[in-house]
Amino acid sequence: MFLILKERFRQGYNTSDFPLKEPILSDRFAGLPKIMGTCKDGCDICLELCPTDAIKKSGDAIDIDLGRCIFCDLCAKECPEHIIKFTSQYRLSSNNRNALFISKEVENIGFKLNKKIQKIFGRSLHLRQVSAGGCNACEADLNVLGTPTYDLNRFGINFTASPRHADGIIVTGPVSLNMKDALLETYNALSEPKIVIASGTCAISGGIFKNNDEVCCGLEDILPVDLYICGCPPHPYTALHAMLQLMGRI
């Protein structure tokens, strides 16, 4: 026991100062994309490269659906005009699906605070995580939130084992057909009022599995979603910021 306490004191205080201070992210982190111009006539390189059809083109203007984007940044690397740039902005959540479309004119994700959710869940939020056919990347980064660096519990947010003890569910994965009934049963086991969070591109739209016969292409046509967290997978700070934003804490 003495050796354990000694080692703990040696390690010191490891919890980040977020949200009081901005997090330091890796230079390799690909965050919110920025569209800095218009396409050259006849150039469809970005459309051809995008594995999830997240990019749409109208004339010489393009827009990106962050609900489909997997942030692979192939479009930015291969664009001959360097129109698309992935920034280090980690704030990638919204409670409005239509706000996830980014264009040259719309560069920020919109979020409108739900006063009812803030009033009920603003001080404490218990979530049941449902892995609905995911690859475990989103699940792993949500699990990281329980480590000392992020310390999710200090904000009154906890993951619980039973949906009957939860205020809502946070879903990852494209919702495979084998998981659909289990997901719906979990949702129905929640007490009212309840919230639904779609975490990651797969949960929002199906991601790279979109249009596959074995998946439901995310939550869009299955459950009412209160919060969309973009990313493939979402960075832990992205997920933490999103949940605090939903609670009205930031």
Side-chain angles (χ1 to χ4, degrees):
M1 177 63 74
F2 176 76
L3 294 177
I4 293 175
L5 292 174
K6 181 180 178 181
E7 177 61 19
R8 186 66 189 88
F9 279 114
R10 186 193 69 79
Q11 292 179 11
Y13 183 79
N14 295 320
T15 305
S16 76
D17 293 323
F18 182 85
L20 298 178
K21 293 183 180 179
E22 286 292 287
I24 299 175
L25 303 177
S26 167
D27 293 337
R28 300 172 61 187
F29 174 71
L32 184 69
K34 184 176 182 181
I35 301 172
M36 299 178 290
T38 55
C39 283
K40 186 184 294 185
D41 289 341
C43 179
D44 293 328
I45 293 177
C46 57
L47 276 69
E48 296 169 358
L49 286 173
C50 185
T52 56
D53 297 323
I55 303 175
K56 301 299 180 184
K57 186 175 179 181
S58 178
D60 59 357
I62 62 173
D63 64 67
I64 301 175
D65 180 0
L66 298 182
R68 291 189 178 187
C69 181
I70 60 171
F71 298 81
C72 64
D73 79 355
L74 283 175
C75 53
K77 290 177 179 177
E78 301 299 331
C79 176
E81 302 297 318
H82 303 290
I83 291 170
I84 303 174
K85 176 184 177 182
F86 281 82
T87 70
S88 59
Q89 178 56 265
Y90 64 91
R91 299 182 182 90
L92 297 167
S93 63
S94 179
N95 51 1
N96 182 357
R97 179 67 177 89
N98 293 328
L100 302 183
F101 291 87
I102 299 296
S103 65
K104 183 181 177 184
E105 290 73 28
V106 181
E107 297 184 349
N108 294 307
I109 299 180
F111 188 97
K112 185 177 181 181
L113 181 64
N114 187 315
K115 294 293 184 66
K116 182 179 179 180
I117 290 179
Q118 180 189 14
K119 182 178 180 180
I120 298 174
F121 305 116
R123 295 175 63 86
S124 175
L125 183 63
H126 286 67
L127 297 171
R128 174 66 168 96
Q129 201 277 314
V130 180
S131 177
C135 69
N136 261 1
C138 291
E139 294 85 350
D141 276 3
L142 286 176
N143 187 58
V144 164
L145 292 174
T147 62
T149 299
Y150 302 99
D151 193 11
L152 188 69
N153 292 349
R154 63 186 161 132
F155 300 107
I157 306 173
N158 296 278
F159 292 118
T160 182
S162 171
R164 298 189 184 280
H165 301 156
D167 302 309
I169 53 175
I170 180 165
V171 183
T172 55
V175 188
S176 64
L177 294 182
N178 287 337
M179 276 299 298
K180 183 179 179 180
D181 288 344
L183 171 63
L184 293 176
E185 288 180 13
T186 303
Y187 175 77
N188 292 330
L190 297 168
S191 300
E192 294 285 355
K194 49 192 173 185
I195 60 176
V196 176
I197 301 174
S199 183
T201 302
C202 286
I204 297 174
S205 67
I208 60 174
F209 304 102
K210 189 173 180 64
N211 299 323
N212 187 293
D213 292 338
E214 296 300 318
V215 302
C216 301
C217 297
L219 295 175
E220 289 186 315
D221 299 320
I222 301 175
L223 295 174
V225 179
D226 299 287
L227 179 65
Y228 300 91
I229 308 177
C230 302
C232 186
H235 192 281
Y237 278 121
T238 299
L240 181 54
H241 174 270
M243 286 185 270
L244 291 177
Q245 190 171 231
L246 179 70
M247 297 169 70
R249 300 282 293 274
I250 55 176

